[in-house]
Amino acid sequence: MFSKDKNIKVRYTFKHFFLVFIYDILIISLFIYFFYTLGTVKGHSYIDYTENNFFLTNNDSIYTFVDYTENSLPKNSNLQSYEESINKFLSEAFTKRNNSFLSGDVSSLYNYYRASSSNGRYSLIYEFKRIAYLRDWAIERGILFTSINSFIIINSITQKDNKFIIDVDEQCTFTYVHNKGKLKNEFSLTIPHILTLYSYSENFDDLYLIDKDYYCDVFDDGIDNYTFTLTETVLPYTKTLNSNFSTPTNLKVDDILRFEKSLFTDHKAVISGFDSNGYPLINCNSLNAVNMPFDFGWNEKNIKSSY
């Protein structure tokens, strides 16, 4: 019995020694490879940052100091040019869409989408659904939107030939009044977009069309019942003023609401107050929403109190 335990211990010791040996060989090999690759880097590729906001560059043994302070870092002039033209294009496209929210006229939106592709058609149809939903949501509640404005912030641009992928935040501000009311109410939210654009100009700096537009949308819960064929120029109302429409009367400031989708909680929001007509308003971090009507974009049956 004792001899058997001794043999096991010997085998364990040998196995442990062998694994440690292999591990040491691996570490040594990695160090050798690191210093080998470091030695093959050309001199002009070395950059060192000094304490006084200077870059020390070594180019064929000639050292030069270049003052690259925070405000004078060189920028890619082409990328900057693209950003300006893309910002202008998206601002115009979102303004046209916002005007369509107010009027129902969508004829001008065809000029901003790549409707020859399946992605472009899907993106444009989705915008039609959003426009139709918002207009129906408003008229049913006796709400009149007087202005909708968008301000965009481009976070990044990736280019491949005439294709651009843009990460952009759209900050939206909605102003509205209630039926027969004069007091204006305002709420805001931020919509993050990942857009794919195609340029059809010679220098890729103009004539853009939207192909894909992926974003976190507040209307996602309420637009499934709308169908469009991209032959529409005006989107009519499909609902009318509901004089009996009412909102929950048991809500108070700081109450928590839970928004459910497929039996799971999609997000939560807090009651921030009430508008000029007593309509409950919410703040919500997921969309950076401030004083937004509590059921904006959501079926009321999917909104539950959370305790």
Side-chain angles (χ1 to χ4, degrees):
M1 190 71 178
F2 178 80
S3 61
K4 185 177 180 180
D5 291 341
K6 183 177 180 180
N7 291 335
I8 292 174
K9 184 176 182 180
V10 170
R11 287 198 299 271
Y12 173 78
T13 303
F14 176 77
K15 182 179 179 181
H16 178 72
F17 174 79
F18 179 75
L19 291 176
V20 171
F21 176 76
I22 295 298
Y23 177 79
D24 290 341
I25 292 296
L26 178 62
I27 295 298
I28 293 172
S29 300
L30 289 175
F31 269 103
I32 293 174
Y33 179 74
F34 170 75
F35 285 109
Y36 169 76
T37 54
L38 190 64
T40 60
V41 178
K42 295 182 180 180
H44 64 264
S45 297
Y46 288 95
I47 299 179
D48 185 26
Y49 186 67
T50 66
E51 295 181 356
N52 297 317
N53 292 328
F54 287 93
F55 284 103
L56 175 63
T57 62
N58 175 5
N59 187 1
D60 296 330
S61 300
I62 300 176
Y63 292 86
T64 57
F65 288 95
V66 184
D67 184 8
Y68 283 161
T69 58
E70 182 178 356
N71 295 324
S72 63
L73 288 173
K75 295 183 178 180
N76 185 320
S77 58
N78 290 333
L79 182 59
Q80 188 175 13
S81 175
Y82 292 147
E83 182 174 349
E84 292 173 358
S85 58
I86 289 173
N87 191 311
K88 179 181 178 181
F89 168 78
L90 291 179
S91 296
E92 290 179 355
F94 290 165
T95 297
K96 292 292 185 182
R97 183 210 54 204
N98 292 342
N99 291 339
S100 297
F101 278 134
L102 301 177
S103 68
D105 185 348
V106 296
S107 58
S108 62
L109 293 185
Y110 291 95
N111 298 325
Y112 295 90
Y113 287 82
R114 190 169 175 249
S116 60
S117 72
S118 58
N119 290 324
R121 289 193 296 273
Y122 176 86
S123 297
L124 183 54
I125 288 174
Y126 192 85
E127 290 303 322
F128 282 10
K129 290 181 178 182
R130 297 176 76 237
I131 292 167
Y133 168 81
L134 177 62
R135 290 170 57 76
D136 282 346
W137 179 90
I139 194 172
E140 186 178 23
R141 291 156 177 77
I143 287 176
L144 174 65
F145 284 100
T146 58
S147 67
I148 303 174
N149 297 302
S150 295
F151 176 77
I152 67 171
I153 299 174
I154 295 179
N155 300 312
S156 67
I157 299 175
T158 303
Q159 179 199 6
K160 183 178 181 181
D161 297 327
N162 70 327
K163 177 181 178 181
F164 295 84
I165 299 176
I166 301 98
D167 177 355
V168 60
D169 290 335
E170 179 190 5
Q171 298 177 351
C172 305
T173 303
F174 297 76
T175 304
Y176 67 95
V177 296
H178 282 276
N179 186 33
K180 299 180 181 180
K182 296 182 179 180
L183 294 178
K184 290 185 177 181
N185 304 274
E186 183 178 287
F187 67 93
S188 62
L189 58 93
T190 300
I191 302 176
H193 295 253
I194 301 294
L195 286 135
T196 299
L197 306 183
Y198 282 88
S199 174
Y200 293 92
S201 66
E202 182 177 354
N203 297 320
F204 306 149
D205 59 354
D206 200 0
L207 301 177
Y208 300 105
L209 289 177
I210 298 172
D211 187 58
K212 298 178 184 177
D213 187 4
Y214 296 144
Y215 51 93
C216 180
D217 186 26
V218 68
F219 297 153
D220 189 51
D221 188 56
I223 64 175
D224 293 338
N225 295 328
Y226 294 93
T227 303
F228 297 102
T229 61
L230 295 188
T231 58
E232 300 83 3
T233 56
V234 177
L235 305 184
Y237 291 108
T238 63
K239 295 184 179 181
T240 58
L241 175 64
N242 182 357
S243 58
N244 296 321
F245 185 86
S246 61
T247 59
T249 58
N250 60 337
L251 296 176
K252 59 183 183 297
V253 174
D254 293 335
D255 279 354
I256 304 297
L257 298 181
R258 184 176 73 254
F259 295 78
E260 293 185 347
K261 184 178 293 186
S262 301
L263 302 180
F264 293 96
T265 298
D266 182 82
H267 66 279
K268 293 184 179 181
V270 60
I271 297 293
S272 59
F274 302 87
D275 71 6
S276 62
N277 202 44
Y279 209 93
L281 307 175
I282 60 171
N283 289 348
C284 177
N285 287 338
S286 61
L287 288 170
N288 197 26
V290 178
N291 292 332
M292 184 173 71
F294 82 105
D295 61 344
F296 190 66
W298 281 81
N299 293 316
E300 191 170 335
K301 66 179 182 179
N302 295 330
I303 304 174
K304 310 290 178 61
S305 294
S306 182
Y307 301 99

